[in-house]
């Protein structure tokens, strides 16, 4: 085994390690999954990272397509961090994390755990630490439905290729403003 392969294997979590990590359970995973599916319409090889407030309301989310490469938690962590930095400020100044990041990964195959899932789990956990967030659920979306790995909870809808379901009780994320520079530009354009 090459050193690169050994490093990649070290940057993944087995389901038992994930379960033992004390990842907080979602109160209503079906609502979270349905909301993210309706918002992002993920197709296979699409990751959706979402940040939830303490009441599990969606505060920010982003989706991106996984580049074809070997499953490596370090690469996945960097991709997740880039998306988190784009959509929400970090919480590193807080003593304890308040917001929780969850990851929905849409992929081919069945709902059983894969090494790719282990790499995503490692990447999510590390990205959350580096962005000051609590690490939340890792959810797979396949043709069979959705599955919260490490919890054994899942459902048949939504699934890859299913039509989005209407979702309620989720406030849209607050609009982002561009800060002082945007205000100056806006005022200059108004003149």
């Amino acid at each position: 085994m090459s050193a690169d392969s050994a490093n990649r294997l070290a940057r993944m979590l087995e389901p038992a390690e994930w379960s033992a990590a004390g990842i907080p359970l979602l109160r209503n995973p079906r609502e979270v999954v349905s909301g993210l599916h309706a918002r992002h319409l993920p197709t296979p090889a699409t990751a959706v990272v979402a940040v939830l407030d303490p009441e599990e309301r969606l505060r920010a989310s982003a989706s991106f397509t996984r580049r074809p490469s070997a499953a490596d938690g370090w690469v996945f962590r960097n991709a997740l961090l880039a998306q988190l930095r784009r959509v929400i400020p970090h919480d590193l100044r807080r003593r304890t994390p308040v917001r929780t990041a969850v990851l929905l990964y849409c992929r081919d195959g069945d709902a059983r755990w894969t090494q790719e899932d282990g790499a995503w789990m490692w990447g999510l956990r590390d990205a959350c630490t580096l962005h000051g967030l609590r690490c939340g659920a890792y959810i797979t979306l396949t043709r069979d439905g959705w599955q919260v790995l490490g919890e054994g909870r899942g459902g048949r809808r939504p699934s890859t290729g299913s039509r989005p379901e209407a979702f309620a009780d989720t406030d849209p994320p607050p609009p982002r403003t561009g800060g002082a520079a945007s205000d100056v530009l806006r005022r200059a354009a108004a003149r």
Side-chain angles (χ1 to χ4, degrees):
M1 181 186 297
S2 73
D4 187 44
S5 295
N7 286 338
R8 273 198 305 272
L9 289 174
R11 294 185 293 253
M12 81 170 50
L13 295 175
E14 297 283 336
E17 292 174 293
W18 184 256
S19 296
I23 306 299
L25 300 176
L26 290 170
R27 285 190 295 263
N28 191 343
R30 184 175 177 8
E31 185 177 295
V32 171
V33 172
S34 295
L36 293 176
H37 181 260
R39 214 177 277 276
H40 292 277
L41 301 172
T43 57
T46 301
V48 179
V49 63
V51 178
L52 308 175
D53 69 12
E55 287 79 40
E56 285 191 7
R57 288 185 306 245
L58 181 65
R59 288 294 146 221
S61 64
S63 61
F64 59 99
T65 304
R66 178 184 184 265
R67 291 190 177 130
S69 64
D72 186 339
W74 186 79
V75 172
F76 293 165
R77 186 242 1 230
N78 290 343
L80 291 168
L81 266 176
Q83 297 301 318
L84 288 169
R85 288 176 180 146
R86 216 184 80 214
V87 298
I88 198 157
H90 66 75
D91 281 347
L92 293 171
R93 290 197 175 110
R94 294 184 180 275
R95 284 182 188 222
T96 58
V98 175
R99 298 181 290 193
T100 304
V102 299
L103 179 63
L104 173 81
Y105 184 60
C106 183
R107 63 174 170 78
D108 290 321
D110 58 27
R112 286 181 289 191
W113 180 88
T114 65
Q115 287 189 348
E116 181 183 26
D117 294 325
W120 278 115
M121 291 168 160
W122 188 94
L124 176 64
R125 185 186 67 181
D126 212 43
C128 288
T129 300
L130 294 172
H131 205 67
L133 301 168
R134 284 183 4 170
C135 181
Y138 172 72
I139 307 158
T140 58
L141 186 68
T142 64
R143 69 179 180 279
D144 298 332
W146 58 273
Q147 174 87 16
V148 182
L149 292 184
E151 293 182 25
R153 296 192 290 172
R156 286 187 281 175
R157 291 192 53 79
S159 65
T160 55
S162 69
R163 296 179 61 101
E165 300 173 10
F167 60 99
D169 298 335
T170 54
D171 300 329
R176 293 194 61 179
T177 60
S182 293
D183 290 340
V184 169
L185 291 172
R186 218 175 290 124
R187 277 186 246 127
R191 288 186 202 149

